[in-house]
Structure formats: structure tokens, C-alpha cells
Amino acid sequence: MATRKIGLVLGAGGTVGLSYHAGVLRAVEQVGGYDPASADLVIGTSAGSVVGAYLRSGWTTTDFWDLALGMHPSLEGLTPEEVDAVRSEMFTPQFRTGPELLRRTLGSGFVIARSVMRLPGPVAPRWMRRVFPGGLFDMTEGKRRFADDLPLRWPDEPLWLCAVDITSGRRIVLGREGSPPATLHQGVMASCAIPGFYSPIKVGPLTLVDGGAHSPTNLDLAAKANCDVIICIAPMAYDTISAPNPVEQLIRRFPARRLAAEVSLARSRGAEVLLLRPAAREVRTHGVNLMRTNGWDAIARAAYEHAARTIDTPRFRRVLGELAA
């Protein structure tokens, strides 16, 4: 059999998405027999950018699993309360007074509007950005962890991290040939900069926010890169075979519909697409707060169990078996 190009697509989903990835990646390797780190191209969006950067920097599926369960060596010696305190530092408020909160709320509203509209627009004057900064929280713990765990230099193996430039409205794919130069830290921070929640990240002349503003998975990039097999982990969508209730489907409508369109494009180009999405029970476990700092272990375990059942089916077994051979 001719060598096939494998794309691994890691989607958005906040801290819930990080834990979901931990369970699914473990199932892909343990049940499917395929090492996700060996993919020819890794595409990450938001939470998926964190997972992709760590995966390309030497982390294993066991590392992600242990982190979600609070057992990773980096947490050694910490009590459960201390682990919760560390996690809460991902959301350090950037305001101390009511006026500061008001100014940042107005600035965040502008960033959200630019992210949603995604049309070319005027650049906000510097004085306006100083007076009304966008972003209510600082990713204190994320910055520290990235500095400790990740190199500044971009990995040698292909890694594309998705962001959106709020000035032009364009999707920016950092790490792809011809993209603006950025350190790996900048790439991850930009892809995770949830509009209005975290401050935008400057990369050269660009002002970047979370790539999920364009698409929660950006799977179409793998199709356009001529990947023959695409393994997509989509925490914000849902498994249509075990769909959640109508209200939960409505909440996840945009990610699900966008994913369906991108999968259709990929399949029209001849790609084999393996989708791993949460089932109804998992969606209830996720809840509506995708930035929660607790319950990561339950999310990871549920993700592993459902992904393991999905992978243990003829089509998944066949495709992953061929990749692992």
C-alpha cells in the first residue's frame, strides 16, 4: 500500500476540551494502536493548539491522561486544593476596580464584535486600546506552563495553529509556510485568545484571537493540504449517532454544522475522515462552562470510554490498523 498522508485535527473546547482530548488520544493509541504523535500534519485550534504543541514537543498520550487525572509528575507533591489553585490561575482577573472592569468590558466588546463580524475594518487607535483594553482575564498559569514545558522554536514536524486577525477578519495559520513568523508560545497563546475573555496577541502587525472564531476545528485545512486520512477530535460538536437533547444540540449547533461542512469537503476530495465527538452522556458531563477548573478526570474517563467503543468498530479498526502497520 502506498504511503498515505495523515492529518490529526485537534479542535477547540476550553479546559473541557483539553480533558476530552486526553481521553480520546489515549483511546486512539491504546485501542486503535496508532500513535497520534506520528501524524504527518497536526492542526490545532484553541485547546487543540495546546495539545498539538505539547504533542509535537515530546509529550505522550499518557502525559495528557495523567494531567487530566491530576497525576502528572508536574503536579507531584501538590494537594487537591493546591492543584485547583494552580488551575484557577488560568483565569487571573485583569481588573481590580469597577472602573477597570467597565473599561475592559467595553474593550472586550469591541474585540468580540470584530471577531464575530470578521470583515476588514479600521485599526483602533493606540489611545483607545490603552483606555479600553480587550480581555478580562490573563492566562497566568498557561504562560508559566508554556515557558516551562514548550520550546520557543517551532517544532520540526508540521504543526499548524489557527488564529484570526481581528483587523482583516482573515484566518491566520501559524506554522504553515508563508505564515507570519512567531514563536511557539505566541502561536499557542494566539490560538487560545478567546475573544473578550483573554487579551488578543500581537504577532508582527497582526492582532490575533482564538482560531475558533473561524472554525472550532478548521478541518478544511487538512483537506486542502491533501491529507489522505484525517483523524479529527471535535470536543464542541456531538456524535450524531448518540445525539444529546434538542437544547444541547442547539447550543452546539455552530460547531456541529461547521464540522459537517468541512467533513463533506474533505470526503469530496477523497479523504478518509475519522470523527471522534462526545456522545449525549458526555455532553451532559461537559456542562455549559467549557472553561471549568474541576471535573477534568470525569471528562477524560468518559471521553476514553466512548472513543474506545467508537474505535472498536470495523471501519475505525481497518483504517487505524492500516496506519499502524
Side-chain angles (χ1 to χ4, degrees), residues 93-243:
Q94 297 207 75
F95 54 87
R96 294 184 179 180
T97 66
E100 286 180 345
L101 173 58
L102 177 60
R103 290 190 294 105
R104 282 196 170 272
T105 298
L106 293 173
S108 296
F110 172 79
V111 172
I112 292 171
R114 295 295 308 136
S115 303
V116 172
M117 292 173 57
R118 296 196 54 243
L119 295 171
V123 178
R126 287 187 179 181
W127 69 264
M128 185 178 293
R129 296 198 298 270
R130 286 196 303 271
V131 176
F132 303 107
L136 299 175
F137 299 93
D138 184 70
M139 199 186 303
T140 304
E141 171 61 10
K143 291 177 181 177
R144 185 189 68 78
R145 288 299 299 265
F146 299 156
D148 289 346
D149 300 339
L150 297 176
L152 285 172
R153 183 175 177 273
W154 212 268
D156 293 330
E157 297 297 317
L159 171 67
W160 295 357
L161 303 183
C162 301
V164 168
D165 175 31
I166 62 172
T167 300
S168 67
R170 294 188 300 114
R171 174 173 62 184
I172 304 298
V173 185
L174 299 170
R176 184 170 62 176
E177 184 176 356
S179 67
T183 67
L184 183 56
H185 295 182
Q186 286 178 313
V188 175
M189 295 293 292
S191 188
C192 291
I194 302 171
F197 199 87
Y198 292 125
S199 299
I201 302 298
K202 292 290 290 184
V203 175
L206 306 177
T207 304
L208 303 180
V209 296
D210 195 317
H214 178 88
S215 164
T217 59
N218 290 286
L219 184 148
D220 62 304
L221 291 172
K224 294 170 183 175
N226 299 316
C227 289
D228 302 294
V229 178
I230 302 171
I231 303 169
C232 176
I233 302 176
M236 295 183 69
Y238 59 84
D239 191 334
T240 54
I241 297 177
S242 178

Side-chain angles (χ1 to χ4, degrees), residues 225-282:
N226 299 316
C227 289
D228 302 294
V229 178
I230 302 171
I231 303 169
C232 176
I233 302 176
M236 295 183 69
Y238 59 84
D239 191 334
T240 54
I241 297 177
S242 178
N245 65 49
V247 173
E248 291 166 332
Q249 288 186 44
L250 183 62
I251 293 172
R252 293 178 175 240
R253 182 179 180 182
F254 169 70
R257 293 185 63 152
R258 190 59 185 254
L259 178 62
E262 292 172 349
V263 169
S264 178
L265 169 68
R267 288 176 173 160
S268 72
R269 289 172 168 249
E272 180 96 59
V273 182
L274 300 181
L275 287 179
L276 293 158
R277 302 159 291 179
R281 183 176 297 179
E282 291 176 89

Side-chain angles (χ1 to χ4, degrees), residues 11-26:
T15 57
V16 166
L18 290 173
S19 302
Y20 181 79
H21 278 99
V24 174
L25 289 172
R26 183 175 177 85

